[in-house]
Amino acid sequence: MLEPKQSAPDDEDGEQAALDLLASGTLEIEGRLVDASNATLYCTITTPGTGRPPRMGGPGGSGGTGSPSQGGSGGMGPPGRKSRGGLGGIVPPDNTACVYKPIAGERPLWDFPMGTLAGREVAAYVVSRAAGWDVVPPTVMRDGPFGPGMCQLWIDHDTDIDLIALSRRTDHAGLRDMAVFDAVVNNADRKIGHLLPVADGHLYGCDHGVCFAEDYKLRTVLWQWRGKTLPRRSLEALRRLNAQLNDGGMEAELSSLLSAEEIAATKIRVETLLKHRVHPYPPSDWPAVPWPPV
């Protein structure tokens, strides 16, 4: 299995710098991503009092998330911007970008409580980071021009990569990590357009607002490993996550983002994966693939 290169910073300082900027930086709305089903605003973000964003993550700046599909974190990137990768990519210091999704702009869903999608996006980042998957870009809950919402670093994905071909691969370790991550968070909407490969080989994902339901709702384009034995790297990540879910600290962090029942269901999913050591099968009473899949 091919190992992906790393694009996120190797040290905690780079990740923390991104989180600090997202939490306390000054947001300036540049536009709205009109294809999104919920209010999804493309913003620039600057360090308070400076008017300029800092450099982060190795040689240079940062991005946020891009998805050309539904209520997601972005698209192909704003006109004129080159794809420069994730946190480890080089982004001009006057052009740090993020996505801001205010809770007030969420549309009602029949199967998720109103006003909870932003919290689920942040919870997805918490889980991804705890397990060491790093498939979700840095994401925080914060106040903004339209009230509280989630704020996520923009990731300029590599537009030279065929996303449909990528989604069908069986030899991409990062893609398989994402499939396991989706099983843990019970992702009900993993579309091809939510895959964000960056130039150095790392793979991010976006649009995690419909995750963490108590009932089994896994709906994804990544079923190529169904019933297959989980690789060792996945089991190690699940053990890390399981330990943190049961030490109290992570549960306290998630408690402000998810219900107690949703946290308990997440623990059960992790324990089930560790017990059976196989990728899950599609649900029998729920559409297995989101529509449209792209």
Side-chain angles (χ1 to χ4, degrees):
M1 181 173 288
L2 301 177
E3 294 293 325
K5 299 177 183 177
Q6 293 299 313
S7 73
D10 293 330
D11 60 282
E12 288 292 319
D13 291 342
E15 186 94 349
Q16 191 58 50
L19 293 170
D20 291 344
L21 178 64
L22 290 169
S24 60
T26 301
L27 286 175
E28 182 174 346
I29 297 173
E30 301 290 343
R32 178 175 179 175
L33 304 177
V34 295
D35 290 338
S37 57
N38 297 300
T40 304
L41 305 174
Y42 175 79
C43 304
T44 54
I45 189 165
T46 58
T47 303
T50 66
R52 295 179 60 136
R55 288 184 173 271
M56 297 180 298
S62 60
T65 66
S67 162
S69 59
Q70 55 84 252
S73 322
M76 302 296 288
R81 289 190 68 194
K82 290 185 177 181
S83 178
R84 297 175 181 267
L87 294 176
I90 301 173
V91 177
D94 59 350
N95 201 17
T96 300
C98 65
V99 167
Y100 161 55
K101 296 184 183 180
I103 293 174
E106 295 180 5
R107 294 183 179 180
L109 296 174
W110 69 269
D111 53 347
F112 287 88
M114 183 64 187
T116 66
L117 305 190
R120 296 172 194 278
E121 297 243 26
V122 180
Y125 167 71
V126 172
V127 168
S128 168
R129 186 180 186 186
W133 284 312
D134 296 324
V135 296
V136 181
T139 311
V140 302
M141 185 73 74
R142 61 161 294 166
D143 200 11
F146 295 102
M150 83 84 160
C151 189
Q152 186 173 80
L153 216 58
W154 179 279
I155 298 295
D156 277 325
H157 72 274
D158 187 345
T159 57
D160 291 332
I161 294 178
D162 183 334
L163 294 183
I164 294 177
L166 171 64
S167 72
R168 295 172 178 170
R169 287 180 60 175
T170 59
D171 62 346
H172 192 295
L175 192 68
R176 194 164 189 178
D177 286 345
M178 186 168 291
V180 181
F181 162 78
D182 284 341
V184 168
V185 302
N186 202 14
N187 192 350
D189 194 37
R190 173 63 71 200
K191 296 180 178 177
I192 293 172
H194 298 167
L195 303 177
L196 305 174
V198 294
D200 71 358
H202 191 74
L203 180 65
Y204 292 101
C206 65
D207 290 354
H208 300 111
V210 287
C211 294
F212 297 102
E214 292 179 63
D215 297 331
Y216 184 44
K217 291 181 178 288
L218 186 58
R219 187 166 56 179
T220 175
V221 294
L222 306 179
W223 287 115
Q224 55 265 54
W225 296 288
R226 61 192 180 278
K228 301 291 185 182
T229 301
L230 291 169
R232 182 175 63 183
R233 61 184 277 131
S234 296
L235 294 173
E236 292 172 348
L238 289 167
R239 291 188 189 105
R240 283 193 296 270
L241 180 58
N242 191 49
Q244 293 193 55
L245 281 169
N246 289 287
D247 72 1
M250 185 178 176
E251 183 170 359
E253 185 175 6
L254 290 174
S255 65
S256 64
L257 306 168
L258 305 171
S259 71
E261 293 78 12
E262 288 166 343
I263 296 172
T266 302
K267 290 182 178 181
I268 292 172
R269 288 192 295 270
V270 172
E271 292 166 356
T272 301
L273 287 167
L274 283 170
K275 178 181 179 180
H276 296 287
R277 301 189 174 195
V278 296
H279 286 269
Y281 285 93
S284 59
D285 58 348
W286 179 257
V289 178
W291 189 263
V294 178

